Amino acid sequence: MQEKRLSADRLGAFSDAVIAVIITVMVLELKAPEGSRFADLLPLWPTAISYAASYLFIAVIWVNHHHLLHLVRQPTPRLIWLNFVHLFAVSLLPFATAWVARSHMAAAPVVVYAVIFLLIDLAYLAFERTVLTQADQSLISERVRTWTQRRTLLAVLVFAAGTAIAPFMPLLGFATVCCALLLYLRPEAISGLAKQIKS
Amino acid sequence: MQEKRLSADRLGAFSDAVIAVIITVMVLELKAPEGSRFADLLPLWPTAISYAASYLFIAVIWVNHHHLLHLVRQPTPRLIWLNFVHLFAVSLLPFATAWVARSHMAAAPVVVYAVIFLLIDLAYLAFERTVLTQADQSLISERVRTWTQRRTLLAVLVFAAGTAIAPFMPLLGFATVCCALLLYLRPEAISGLAKQIKS
Amino acid sequence: MQEKRLSADRLGAFSDAVIAVIITVMVLELKAPEGSRFADLLPLWPTAISYAASYLFIAVIWVNHHHLLHLVRQPTPRLIWLNFVHLFAVSLLPFATAWVARSHMAAAPVVVYAVIFLLIDLAYLAFERTVLTQADQSLISERVRTWTQRRTLLAVLVFAAGTAIAPFMPLLGFATVCCALLLYLRPEAISGLAKQIKS
Amino acid sequence: MQEKRLSADRLGAFSDAVIAVIITVMVLELKAPEGSRFADLLPLWPTAISYAASYLFIAVIWVNHHHLLHLVRQPTPRLIWLNFVHLFAVSLLPFATAWVARSHMAAAPVVVYAVIFLLIDLAYLAFERTVLTQADQSLISERVRTWTQRRTLLAVLVFAAGTAIAPFMPLLGFATVCCALLLYLRPEAISGLAKQIKS
């Protein structure tokens, strides 16, 4: 049993390391300007805003991942592979963030940005279902299961809407993606569940 | 309870990974010169000095963070988010360091450098207050609480002074920021407190 | 004994950190295009495909490494050094991946790519033998030992075949390397073994 | 006591993360060539050799650090700061490695390379002394203490010799540095000591 926790911990630690590198690599796009006046910072605003937004989103992803892993006793091969798919989609964020910033929120880059979040959310949906299915069935209330599934499905729909809107109105598409992420700002309901299960 | 420690440990491990990447990414600015004589190292001095200074400062941040986390039994959502705000501000240091180095300590970059340290310290102030509030009240002496709060407030004032001085005398502003960091060189008082609480 | 696990855990954690950085560093090759239309993504396809393939392969390497480390109680100096040789070969993958992508799968880069996988597999073979030899002999069935050795030898042969084919038909050589990796997609047999041993 | 181990573990984990990033960052200097023939790899040989050498040296550093940390029960502030000094010196290796490679082993870069190793070894010497002093005195035999101190002093002398030789005969200076590292290839004597102490 101690052994099982170690294994779930190693999965968490590896995901942490990958996410830590991704979140830090993005800041490398924020290059020091050639000039040395405040005005030289102005052209950096698109990069700064998309760095801040993507940092927030990756933090949201980490917090949710962290709460979900509390429910895992022994990661199955399926769970480990879903986690790799999830991390792969997350690893594409610095690329999409840089493109959105460089193009000053043009249509195509925002579509790619929204599609990547859609992929992240679909992988998260599969990861979440697997975790909830493998956890002790008698301990997870029907209410939490239903609530979680509805939230994730709603998020998938909003990310899909963002993707559909972006080609025509990129700024509104970007705002829609941001709205979907608000759904994930409070993962404590699942965390409360985790505590119930563990105690 | 074992579970609770693991969770605080994962927060610590994630912060460690982010700080480890940030501290190492800065050294990438120190590019090998084209020539192969000692004289070719000379133009690297501003970069070398600001790398060394920022390395020292991030080490100071890590040590204080490390001591503070000893007091955390179970990280609350509020604490996790304050930690992300803190790490976000820290992640901007390589950018500011590179700009200070490239501009040979011009006014605007030093102001940005000081403002980022002010942000780091404000986030740390909020993080510290939350940790001290959540820790068992009977175990933390009034003396330590008062001392810690005064030190952090003093540091905020000194960083603010550095920000105010930098536009007119950048070198003095930079020196003021360095002075503020000296206040954090000895986090053992809190550590001693932590040991008292744990034993 | 607790001490021994910590030491094996530190070896695992260090390998995780190295692999996490390697897997993330590769995505930096995927640079945001200058233009902001979908068509501007087209020239990125070779990079995208080789990034996805190498990500998958490093995930396969991590999963197998993860399962094998379950059998290690106390890493010997020999095991630690074999692990460093293995990680060294893995660390060359981003270089080979970038070259394969840049050259659009030309002969020489694919040969280098196949040779690096051959090296990774040979180091893994030595690592695996050492782990199986050091593990408690009475607990590992002859069947598992034979099966594992045959699989690894077969993989070495297929990687060698890929290396031999690549100079003449690079695409077929690349496909052969991919086939060899399929042999490693299911490390659970060894994992099942590990569980038997630990319980 | 459990608390104390966690703290020593966090120091180890942070050092691991920094070393993992450093060892991986160096491989980024190995850029994929423009051409796609084997001949295009030829100009990469100096980079490849110095990457391989520095990888080996950082592995040696990690193994020794890993064995020494076994003796630490509770890291003191002094030990934490010595560790940061050690890591700072290690973090300069990618820079020196890149310069040695770019200049094809010219005199000045090899001197810098040797000086950085001298710094790493001096920091390690102080770290080692502090660990051995803080460890339980009755448990460390006089023989091991004497042997360890003599080895480290010898290494300091050889690194200093390498630094002195490099300005006149860079290749011999580089070879001398490599010889000094051979002294560290077998840290198991200290490890054996650690096991004695812990059991």
Side-chain angles (χ1 to χ4, degrees):
Chain A
M1 185 133 156
Q2 174 68 13
E3 196 50 39
K4 288 180 182 174
R5 285 304 309 164
L6 278 178
S7 191
D9 285 349
R10 199 177 163 197
L11 187 66
F14 181 71
S15 308
D16 279 6
V18 172
I19 293 177
V21 179
I22 292 171
I23 217 171
T24 326
V25 152
M26 280 194 312
V27 88
L28 291 179
E29 278 293 311
L30 210 61
K31 291 195 201 313
E34 288 298 322
S36 46
R37 289 163 307 137
F38 285 113
D40 297 313
L41 287 178
L42 280 182
L44 297 178
W45 277 118
T47 309
I49 284 176
S50 46
Y51 170 59
S54 295
Y55 181 96
L56 173 65
F57 298 166
I58 290 180
V60 167
I61 290 164
W62 185 84
V63 171
N64 280 276
H65 190 268
H66 172 79
H67 278 92
L68 209 53
L69 264 187
H70 267 282
L71 288 168
V72 177
R73 285 190 178 272
Q74 167 76 337
T76 56
R78 182 184 160 79
L79 206 64
I80 290 170
W81 284 108
L82 283 174
N83 192 47
F84 270 115
V85 173
H86 183 237
L87 289 177
F88 180 74
V90 174
S91 83
L92 297 174
L93 271 184
F95 165 78
T97 301
W99 201 25
V100 165
R102 188 172 296 176
S103 71
H104 294 216
M105 300 228 176
V110 174
V111 170
V112 169
Y113 196 75
V115 166
I116 286 172
F117 268 109
L118 190 58
L119 285 176
I120 292 173
D121 205 46
L122 287 172
Y124 186 76
L125 176 66
F127 188 79
E128 189 180 63
R129 293 226 164 161
T130 307
V131 169
L132 292 177
T133 309
Q134 289 176 359
D136 194 335
Q137 295 304 310
S138 64
L139 286 165
I140 305 176
S141 74
E142 202 50 47
R143 204 179 60 82
V144 168
R145 198 187 300 278
T146 311
W147 178 82
T148 304
Q149 284 176 356
R150 280 192 191 149
R151 185 188 65 165
T152 310
L153 277 176
L154 183 59
V156 166
L157 288 177
V158 181
F159 281 126
T163 309
I165 293 169
F168 313 106
M169 301 156 77
L171 282 176
L172 185 62
F174 192 82
T176 310
V177 168
C178 295
C179 287
L181 281 153
L182 294 182
L183 288 167
Y184 284 106
L185 276 180
R186 300 259 323 202
E188 293 91 72
I190 301 181
S191 173
L193 168 71
K195 272 181 229 156
Q196 267 177 271
I197 291 172
K198 293 292 167 81
S199 62
Chain B
M1 184 134 154
Q2 173 68 13
E3 195 51 38
K4 287 180 183 175
R5 283 308 306 166
L6 278 177
S7 191
D9 285 350
R10 198 176 165 200
L11 187 66
F14 180 71
S15 308
D16 279 6
V18 171
I19 293 177
V21 179
I22 292 171
I23 218 171
T24 327
V25 151
M26 280 194 311
V27 88
L28 291 179
E29 278 293 312
L30 210 60
K31 293 195 199 314
E34 289 299 322
S36 47
R37 289 163 307 137
F38 285 112
D40 297 314
L41 287 178
L42 280 182
L44 296 179
W45 277 118
T47 309
I49 284 175
S50 45
Y51 171 58
S54 296
Y55 181 95
L56 174 64
F57 299 166
I58 290 181
V60 168
I61 289 165
W62 185 83
V63 171
N64 281 276
H65 190 268
H66 172 79
H67 278 93
L68 209 53
L69 265 188
H70 267 282
L71 287 168
V72 177
R73 285 190 177 272
Q74 167 77 338
T76 55
R78 181 184 160 79
L79 206 64
I80 290 171
W81 284 108
L82 283 174
N83 193 47
F84 270 115
V85 172
H86 184 237
L87 289 177
F88 179 74
V90 174
S91 83
L92 298 174
L93 271 184
F95 165 77
T97 302
W99 201 25
V100 165
R102 187 171 298 175
S103 71
H104 293 215
M105 301 228 175
V110 174
V111 171
V112 169
Y113 197 74
V115 166
I116 286 172
F117 267 109
L118 191 57
L119 285 176
I120 291 173
D121 204 45
L122 287 171
Y124 186 77
L125 176 65
F127 188 79
E128 190 180 63
R129 293 225 164 162
T130 307
V131 168
L132 292 178
T133 308
Q134 289 176 357
D136 193 334
Q137 295 305 308
S138 64
L139 286 166
I140 305 174
S141 73
E142 202 51 47
R143 203 179 60 82
V144 168
R145 197 186 300 277
T146 309
W147 178 82
T148 304
Q149 284 175 356
R150 280 194 191 147
R151 185 187 65 166
T152 310
L153 277 176
L154 183 59
V156 167
L157 288 176
V158 181
F159 282 127
T163 310
I165 294 168
F168 313 106
M169 301 155 77
L171 281 175
L172 184 62
F174 192 82
T176 311
V177 168
C178 296
C179 287
L181 282 152
L182 295 181
L183 287 166
Y184 284 106
L185 277 179
R186 301 260 321 202
E188 294 91 70
I190 300 182
S191 173
L193 169 70
K195 273 181 227 157
Q196 269 178 269
I197 290 172
K198 292 294 165 79
S199 63
Chain C
M1 185 135 155
Q2 174 68 12
E3 195 51 39
K4 287 180 183 175
R5 283 306 308 164
L6 279 178
S7 191
D9 285 350
R10 199 177 164 197
L11 188 66
F14 181 72
S15 308
D16 279 7
V18 172
I19 293 176
V21 178
I22 292 170
I23 217 171
T24 326
V25 152
M26 279 194 311
V27 87
L28 292 178
E29 278 292 313
L30 210 61
K31 293 196 200 311
E34 287 299 321
S36 46
R37 289 162 309 136
F38 285 112
D40 297 314
L41 287 178
L42 280 182
L44 296 178
W45 276 118
T47 309
I49 284 175
S50 45
Y51 171 58
S54 296
Y55 181 95
L56 172 65
F57 298 166
I58 290 181
V60 167
I61 289 164
W62 185 84
V63 170
N64 281 276
H65 191 268
H66 172 79
H67 279 93
L68 209 54
L69 264 188
H70 267 281
L71 287 169
V72 176
R73 286 191 176 271
Q74 167 77 338
T76 56
R78 183 184 159 79
L79 206 64
I80 290 171
W81 284 108
L82 284 173
N83 193 46
F84 270 114
V85 173
H86 184 237
L87 289 177
F88 180 75
V90 174
S91 83
L92 297 174
L93 270 184
F95 164 78
T97 302
W99 201 25
V100 165
R102 187 171 297 175
S103 71
H104 294 216
M105 300 229 176
V110 174
V111 170
V112 169
Y113 196 75
V115 166
I116 286 173
F117 268 109
L118 190 58
L119 285 176
I120 292 173
D121 205 46
L122 286 171
Y124 187 76
L125 176 67
F127 188 79
E128 189 180 64
R129 294 226 163 161
T130 307
V131 168
L132 293 177
T133 308
Q134 289 176 359
D136 194 335
Q137 296 304 309
S138 63
L139 286 166
I140 305 174
S141 72
E142 203 50 48
R143 205 179 58 83
V144 168
R145 197 187 300 278
T146 310
W147 178 82
T148 304
Q149 284 175 357
R150 281 195 191 145
R151 184 188 65 164
T152 309
L153 277 177
L154 182 58
V156 166
L157 288 176
V158 181
F159 282 126
T163 309
I165 294 169
F168 312 105
M169 302 156 76
L171 281 176
L172 184 62
F174 192 82
T176 311
V177 168
C178 295
C179 287
L181 282 152
L182 294 181
L183 287 166
Y184 284 106
L185 276 180
R186 300 258 323 202
E188 293 91 71
I190 300 182
S191 173
L193 168 71
K195 272 182 228 156
Q196 270 178 269
I197 289 172
K198 292 294 167 79
S199 62
Chain D
M1 186 136 153
Q2 173 69 11
E3 194 51 39
K4 287 180 183 175
R5 283 306 308 164
L6 279 178
S7 190
D9 285 349
R10 199 178 164 198
L11 187 67
F14 180 72
S15 309
D16 280 5
V18 172
I19 293 176
V21 179
I22 291 170
I23 218 170
T24 327
V25 152
M26 279 194 311
V27 88
L28 292 179
E29 279 292 312
L30 210 60
K31 294 197 199 312
E34 288 300 321
S36 47
R37 288 162 310 136
F38 284 113
D40 297 314
L41 287 178
L42 280 182
L44 296 178
W45 275 118
T47 309
I49 284 176
S50 45
Y51 170 59
S54 295
Y55 181 96
L56 172 64
F57 298 165
I58 291 181
V60 167
I61 290 165
W62 185 85
V63 171
N64 280 276
H65 191 268
H66 172 79
H67 278 93
L68 209 53
L69 265 188
H70 267 282
L71 287 169
V72 177
R73 286 192 175 270
Q74 167 77 339
T76 56
R78 181 184 162 80
L79 206 65
I80 291 171
W81 283 108
L82 284 174
N83 193 47
F84 271 114
V85 172
H86 183 237
L87 289 176
F88 179 74
V90 174
S91 82
L92 297 173
L93 271 183
F95 164 77
T97 302
W99 201 26
V100 165
R102 187 170 299 175
S103 70
H104 294 216
M105 300 228 177
V110 174
V111 170
V112 169
Y113 196 74
V115 166
I116 286 172
F117 268 109
L118 191 58
L119 286 176
I120 292 173
D121 205 45
L122 287 172
Y124 187 76
L125 176 65
F127 188 79
E128 190 180 63
R129 293 224 166 163
T130 308
V131 169
L132 292 178
T133 308
Q134 289 175 359
D136 193 335
Q137 295 305 310
S138 63
L139 287 165
I140 305 174
S141 73
E142 202 51 46
R143 206 180 58 84
V144 168
R145 197 188 300 278
T146 310
W147 178 81
T148 304
Q149 284 175 356
R150 281 194 191 146
R151 184 188 65 166
T152 309
L153 277 176
L154 183 59
V156 166
L157 289 176
V158 181
F159 282 127
T163 309
I165 295 168
F168 313 105
M169 302 155 77
L171 282 176
L172 184 61
F174 192 82
T176 310
V177 168
C178 296
C179 287
L181 282 152
L182 295 181
L183 287 166
Y184 285 106
L185 277 180
R186 300 259 323 201
E188 294 91 71
I190 300 182
S191 173
L193 168 71
K195 273 182 227 155
Q196 268 178 268
I197 290 173
K198 292 294 166 80
S199 63

